[in-house]
Amino acid sequence: MSFLRACLLALLLPLLAAPALAQTAEFDALVTSLPEGSYGERGAVVGAIALTGDPRAEAVLTALLDGTLGVIEATGQVVTLTPAPADALTGAAVEGPAAKIRVNNGLRRDIRAALGILTLADPDPAKRLAAADAAFRAPDAAQYDLLDAAFAREENPAVKSRLAEARAVAILAGDFSDADKREAIDIIADRGDADAQRILTPFAASADLEIAQAATAALTAIQQSRMLWGYAQNIWYGLSLGSVLLLAAIGLAITFGVMGVINMAHGELVMLGAYTTYAVQEAIRQNAPGLFDWSLLIAAPLAFLVAGAVGVAIERGIVRHLYGRALETLLATWGVSLILQQSVRSIFGPNNREVGNPSWMSGSFDVGQMTVTWNRLWILLFALAVFAVLLFVMKRTAVGLQMRAVTQNRPMAASMGIRTNWVDALTFGLGAGIAGLAGVALSQIDNVSPNLGQSYIVDSFMVVVFGGAGNIWGTLAGAFSLGIVNKFLEPYAGAVLAKIIVLVAIILFIQKRPRGLFAVKGRAVEG
Amino acid sequence: MTSLIDRRMGIFLAGLFVLTVAVPVGNLAFEGKVVPSYIVSLLGKYLCYALLAVALDLVWGFCGILSLGHGAFFALGGYAMGMHLMREIGDRGVYANPNLPDFMVFLSWKELPWFWHGFDNFWFASLMVMLVPGALAFLFGWFAFRSRVTGVYLSIITQAMTYALQLAFFRNEMGFGGNNGLTDFKDVLGFPLQSDSTRAGLFVCTATALAAGLLIARAITTSKLGMILVCIRDAESRTRFMGYRVEGYKLFIFVVSAMMAGVAGALYTPQVGIINPGEFSPANSIEIVIWVALGGRGTLVGAALGAILVALAKTLFTGWFPEFWLFALGGLFILVTLFLPKGVLGLIEDTFARKKKPAPALQEAKA
């Protein structure tokens, strides 16, 4: 009997790419032969079933794995036992006593591998890619034929290259010529990631000198490429953190740097922006769920207006009376920050509020070996856009000109007919409004809670002080350099220690440049 | 030459003396406890705050250094004392380990870290209570004042300093109990901390320390050194051009103030029964500033009064309407800076002065 089955298999395997009719017949024959033979032989049949690509294969194999595939002893008909006995090939109901087809652990492993391979024939390229990945991670020489066949058949280039890698892994695991193995090592080395490193490491100690050399060389190359990608990932994380710092600090750079006012309520203005986003999303959820993807675009101008209005109110109500007394503004605005915090806590409650990501901000994509999340990317772009607009407003518009004039020489500006009071309120409002915009962005990556502002205020001040007050380019440089330095320190020192080191470094840096990286003279910064 | 004890200092010290006698007597001498025990600890805590406020007033009111990191010196003093109290627990902890405090056993540490050695001696701990904050202040001030970091910049980096320390002390690896800090103290110098007589004793110690702190601060500020400090506050570059080494004076007063804050922290820990990294939070340090501003900057006595008033208000408000405490505190910050530049004490004295003024004016007119 087993001789017959072997012949059958030998006949059938080359038929893989044959027309559908032949495929169906082949599948039927294979399934019918399932109850017979040793476990090892049945393992081979299972693999062959998977490779037929027949749409019924998955159901049959899953049933076999679950122990719900049986055979009617009298006729040899293979049946599924649940929910009611039915022919495994046609699905027609059957009668009669059926015996379960037994599986052991070895066979179960074969079935699982076969199920993994099964998707290699799936019409969806993403599923084929996942199957190739699975085969790559679990090297098995037995899968070589299956992978090779799938590789020959594959047309999608991305899947094909992944299949080549999986096939190479199978070659390394199996009994192949040295030349084949060296070629396989090259293919895996090109992949250059942690998986490739894990797979190649044992071969560096191979008894075969040539293979060991090839593997060692490949490992060195992988290490270098991983190091470079590691740097790239760190720089990306750093840029991402920097963009958050930039958003949080840039409004401060205007009020502190340009006006010389220490606004301790700045963090709370950021928080107001985040809560505005929350409120807008709630309104949209209740009234127009279809607009959800637009919620951030709607929230941004509103957050700017809300925070800006509060900013103007703070300036007119308090800060106006304290110009030239920087330390007193610090105290008074700290009071404002406490009041804003408690107001938000009283209105929205002390707990974190859920702010959803629109679809275009969720998910991630890979660049080489690094992962880029969409929300971080958008926040980076948003921060740069805000920076560009601010730069434009300051340098190219009449309002910006007046702001700079008042900053540099208030009495002169006043005698030229500039309404300095009005400009002060506007400048403060602009800084506050940008804080609100920062809140919109932060709501996407951080908890929206009454403490949101507190967690950024010290960092923001550090950025402004480091970059140099009164210069928004300094803020840009400060934010990104602090972000990147932080992320490069983290792997060695841990997140908290990295932050401490950066703080200490800034304290030391101020020794050398008490006015920051890009020092510009501003009004009343002396304090 | 101004006298060491002027009228306002005299009134305050007299009041403090009455309190120092009345509170322990009221707590201990009568059967019915005229003063409940928890009030003794609460008042003791206020007096610690008062001493801390005096320390800040010394640098801010008289030398113009607005430190937003004085909570750090306070907390360091508190931790130094806390370490001693931890060592005094001995094998009475939950894990009954005679050599290691509970949290170290919990983290399965095998040995006492080197910086914990010596803290089993009270005299060593008392020394560290002043030396550690003093050393930090010296190091920090030496860097900051030498490179002429002033005003707002100085305030911000002092804030960064306390923030960095807070982050550091939150770490379990630091060896200071991490998030939970140091707590579960049993006794000090053999006296059980829970007993009324120990509480009363600590209260008297705190009152004495406050009185001493006030007198030392007063002695410094009425001396020639104090005059120079005020000169630096009002016109730093002019003072420098007159030949004074401004950095030296600033450094001196900063270190003295930090030590005073350390002592306040050391007295605070046994009375409150816990010291944790929350004490390093920038918000705490900023609150100290409002005590001084409210009481009257540059008046010493006012700073102490301000601390007691705000702490009292906090206790009452958080008891009555917890929701509104931050509104009240925030409003206080705004109102005091806008309308009371000299603080409550300044307001009171101005009112008195206005009532008295007409008299000499009339005499002048007659003459």
Side-chain angles (χ1 to χ4, degrees):
Chain A
M1 191 66 196
S2 68
F3 171 68
L4 215 159
R5 279 169 37 80
C7 293
L8 189 76
L9 276 177
L11 268 171
L12 290 178
L13 275 173
L15 290 175
L16 281 173
L21 197 69
Q23 224 175 54
T24 311
E26 173 204 350
F27 178 76
D28 291 359
L30 283 167
V31 171
T32 315
S33 72
L34 254 184
E36 297 147 29
S38 71
Y39 285 122
E41 283 166 346
R42 274 151 59 192
V45 176
V46 162
I49 289 178
L51 271 190
T52 57
D54 192 285
R56 294 166 295 175
E58 188 177 356
V60 168
L61 290 179
T62 315
L64 184 61
L65 186 68
D66 295 345
T68 58
L69 199 68
V71 59
I72 294 179
E73 306 253 345
T75 57
Q77 195 179 8
V78 177
V79 293
T80 49
L81 300 172
T82 50
D87 190 300
L89 299 172
T90 60
V94 288
E95 302 273 323
K100 202 170 98 174
I101 299 179
R102 285 164 188 266
V103 282
N104 69 353
N105 279 339
L107 188 53
R108 274 194 202 97
R109 209 162 43 234
D110 287 340
I111 299 171
R112 285 205 192 91
L115 278 170
I117 294 299
L118 191 61
T119 35
L120 283 175
D122 198 286
D124 181 0
K127 285 196 178 158
R128 295 207 297 276
L129 198 69
D133 267 347
F136 178 87
R137 295 222 168 77
D140 184 359
Q143 291 178 354
Y144 172 77
D145 293 333
L146 310 175
L147 288 166
D148 198 42
F151 177 73
R153 208 172 45 216
E154 185 58 57
E155 278 163 7
N156 183 317
V159 182
K160 198 168 176 97
S161 80
R162 205 60 69 84
L163 275 170
E165 286 162 11
R167 194 181 57 162
V169 172
I171 290 178
L172 281 181
D175 194 14
F176 290 86
S177 75
D178 280 2
D180 283 347
K181 288 200 170 184
R182 279 202 302 276
E183 198 182 328
I185 287 177
D186 286 344
I187 292 174
I188 297 171
D190 282 345
R191 195 180 151 113
D193 64 357
D195 282 329
Q197 195 174 22
R198 180 175 54 79
I199 283 163
L200 288 181
T201 307
F203 293 96
S206 166
D208 188 323
L209 199 64
E210 278 189 34
I211 293 209
Q213 276 175 351
T216 315
L219 279 174
T220 321
I222 290 175
Q223 259 160 12
Q224 269 178 356
S225 113
R226 287 195 65 201
M227 203 174 67
L228 290 177
W229 279 112
Y231 286 150
Q233 181 84 64
N234 271 343
I235 289 177
W236 164 249
Y237 285 149
L239 287 177
S240 166
L241 176 64
S243 64
V244 171
L245 291 177
L246 177 64
L247 275 174
I250 194 164
L252 205 62
I254 296 176
T255 44
F256 175 51
V258 177
M259 299 180 78
V261 171
I262 317 228
N263 182 13
M264 293 298 271
H266 185 78
E268 276 58 42
L269 294 169
V270 173
M271 174 198 72
L272 283 185
Y275 272 95
T276 308
T277 317
Y278 165 72
V280 166
Q281 279 202 351
E282 280 302 291
I284 286 179
R285 274 205 186 101
Q286 305 210 326
N287 303 319
L291 282 176
F292 186 77
D293 272 356
W294 297 89
S295 58
L296 291 191
L297 297 180
I298 298 167
L302 280 175
F304 184 88
L305 288 180
V306 169
V310 173
V312 171
I314 296 175
E315 201 277 341
R316 287 288 89 187
I318 298 166
V319 172
R320 176 164 70 106
H321 306 289
L322 299 170
Y323 279 121
R325 291 152 67 193
L327 296 179
E328 268 98 334
T329 27
L330 188 155
L331 293 181
T333 49
W334 177 256
V336 173
S337 101
L338 292 182
I339 289 175
L340 286 178
Q341 255 182 64
Q342 186 58 49
S343 311
V344 165
R345 198 171 281 134
S346 300
I347 297 171
F348 292 95
N351 300 327
N352 291 346
R353 290 288 151 184
E354 190 79 27
V355 173
N357 291 34
S359 61
W360 46 274
M361 278 191 88
S362 29
S364 63
F365 61 95
D366 287 340
V367 179
Q369 289 178 36
M370 60 190 234
T371 309
V372 176
T373 50
W374 278 109
N375 60 355
R376 294 280 182 171
L377 183 65
W378 280 116
I379 289 172
L380 176 65
L381 294 177
F382 181 66
L384 292 176
V386 168
F387 180 80
V389 169
L390 188 65
L391 206 61
F392 177 80
V393 168
M394 294 297 280
K395 302 276 177 191
R396 291 274 181 278
T397 63
V399 177
L401 184 69
Q402 294 191 355
M403 281 179 192
R404 285 180 293 136
V406 173
T407 304
Q408 281 170 16
N409 194 331
R410 172 174 292 264
M412 182 79 79
S415 12
M416 300 292 282
I418 295 175
R419 294 157 67 190
T420 53
N421 280 340
W422 185 79
V423 170
D424 282 335
L426 211 65
T427 316
F428 205 91
L430 180 66
I434 291 175
L437 289 180
V440 178
L442 287 182
S443 74
Q444 293 297 306
I445 51 168
D446 207 342
N447 295 326
V448 176
S449 74
N451 302 326
L452 175 77
Q454 295 281 301
S455 39
Y456 288 98
I457 189 75
V458 174
D459 285 333
S460 313
F461 271 118
M462 288 299 112
V463 167
V464 176
V465 165
F466 177 68
N471 186 322
I472 51 177
W473 279 107
T475 311
L476 182 82
F480 283 116
S481 41
L482 288 191
I484 290 174
V485 166
N486 217 325
K487 287 297 171 186
F488 268 91
L489 282 174
E490 265 178 28
Y492 308 103
V496 174
L497 211 56
K499 208 163 185 181
I500 296 169
I501 294 173
V502 168
L503 284 176
V504 173
I506 291 174
I507 292 174
L508 292 179
F509 173 81
I510 294 181
Q511 312 301 316
K512 282 285 152 214
R513 299 187 69 107
R515 288 278 171 265
L517 212 52
F518 297 88
V520 165
K521 264 182 85 106
R523 156 168 49 110
V525 177
E526 275 287 315
Chain B
M1 195 70 197
T2 19
S3 66
L4 187 60
I5 299 182
D6 62 353
R7 205 175 51 154
R8 59 160 88 119
M9 180 69 86
I11 295 173
F12 185 85
L13 287 181
L16 187 65
F17 182 74
V18 171
L19 201 67
T20 315
V21 174
V23 169
V25 169
N27 181 243
L28 298 174
F30 303 99
E31 214 33 51
K33 293 222 181 291
V34 179
V35 179
S37 301
Y38 79 94
I39 292 282
V40 179
S41 292
L42 196 66
L43 290 176
K45 195 172 88 170
Y46 293 172
L47 295 189
C48 291
Y49 289 155
L51 182 56
L52 177 57
V54 171
L56 182 71
D57 195 23
L58 203 51
V59 282
W60 185 35
F62 293 91
C63 199
I65 303 167
L66 176 52
S67 161
L68 295 186
H70 251 54
F73 304 128
F74 179 79
L76 285 175
Y79 265 97
M81 183 50 76
M83 285 160 84
H84 171 66
L85 297 178
M86 282 312 262
R87 298 292 288 141
E88 275 223 9
I89 296 174
D91 58 4
R92 284 169 294 168
V94 178
Y95 296 104
N97 188 320
N99 288 321
L100 297 183
D102 275 349
F103 72 88
M104 290 189 191
V105 183
F106 184 72
L107 293 171
S108 45
W109 290 22
K110 295 284 166 262
E111 274 177 40
L112 204 63
W114 60 268
F115 48 83
W116 275 74
H117 287 295
F119 277 93
D120 36 348
N121 298 317
F122 183 78
W123 62 266
F124 182 82
S126 317
L127 210 59
M128 286 300 139
V129 158
M130 296 210 267
L131 281 187
V132 172
L136 176 66
F138 183 84
L139 206 68
F140 188 88
W142 193 72
F143 277 119
F145 302 139
R146 199 182 50 130
S147 58
R148 301 189 193 171
V149 179
T150 52
V152 170
Y153 284 86
L154 190 80
S155 302
I156 289 172
I157 62 168
T158 50
Q159 191 183 21
M161 173 193 76
T162 187
Y163 184 58
L165 281 169
Q166 184 188 19
L167 291 178
F169 273 73
F170 264 124
R171 289 164 55 88
N172 277 331
E173 296 86 338
M174 274 290 283
F176 294 108
N179 197 5
N180 300 321
L182 308 176
T183 185
D184 292 333
F185 310 128
K186 302 276 189 263
D187 49 28
V188 56
L189 288 174
F191 300 106
L193 279 171
Q194 294 306 319
S195 83
D196 284 343
S197 53
T198 315
R199 284 172 193 241
L202 281 168
F203 178 81
V204 174
C205 287
T206 314
T208 317
L210 174 59
L214 275 169
L215 289 175
I216 292 171
R218 178 81 184 150
I220 292 174
T221 52
T222 48
S223 67
K224 185 186 165 216
L225 173 81
M227 310 272 254
I228 298 166
L229 291 178
V230 174
C231 291
I232 292 172
R233 177 189 74 186
D234 293 339
E236 181 166 337
S237 10
R238 245 182 265 182
T239 317
R240 186 173 281 122
F241 293 144
M242 280 159 71
Y244 291 103
R245 292 179 62 99
V246 168
E247 310 80 65
Y249 288 98
K250 280 180 154 182
L251 196 55
F252 170 77
I253 202 68
F254 198 57
V255 170
V256 168
S257 165
M259 287 178 163
M260 211 180 268
V263 171
L267 288 161
Y268 173 85
T269 304
Q271 298 190 73
V272 177
I274 184 168
I275 180 86
N276 64 24
E279 298 295 335
F280 285 105
S281 80
N284 271 16
S285 292
I286 294 176
E287 215 176 301
I288 306 170
V289 176
I290 198 61
W291 301 340
V292 178
L294 176 83
R297 179 186 164 196
T299 58
L300 296 178
V301 171
L305 269 180
I308 295 170
L309 281 179
V310 177
L312 183 68
K314 186 173 192 168
T315 310
L316 296 179
F317 263 96
T318 46
W320 293 335
F321 354 79
E323 287 271 297
F324 291 98
W325 164 242
L326 280 186
F327 285 128
L329 187 66
L332 211 57
F333 270 97
I334 298 171
L335 295 178
V336 168
T337 40
L338 283 183
F339 302 113
L340 286 182
K342 287 183 184 171
V344 171
L345 200 68
L347 181 76
I348 295 171
E349 286 180 353
D350 279 357
T351 331
F352 273 110
R354 216 168 291 145
K355 273 184 191 159
K356 281 182 184 166
K357 240 178 201 157
L362 271 176
Q363 282 176 348
E364 259 172 54
K366 274 181 190 167

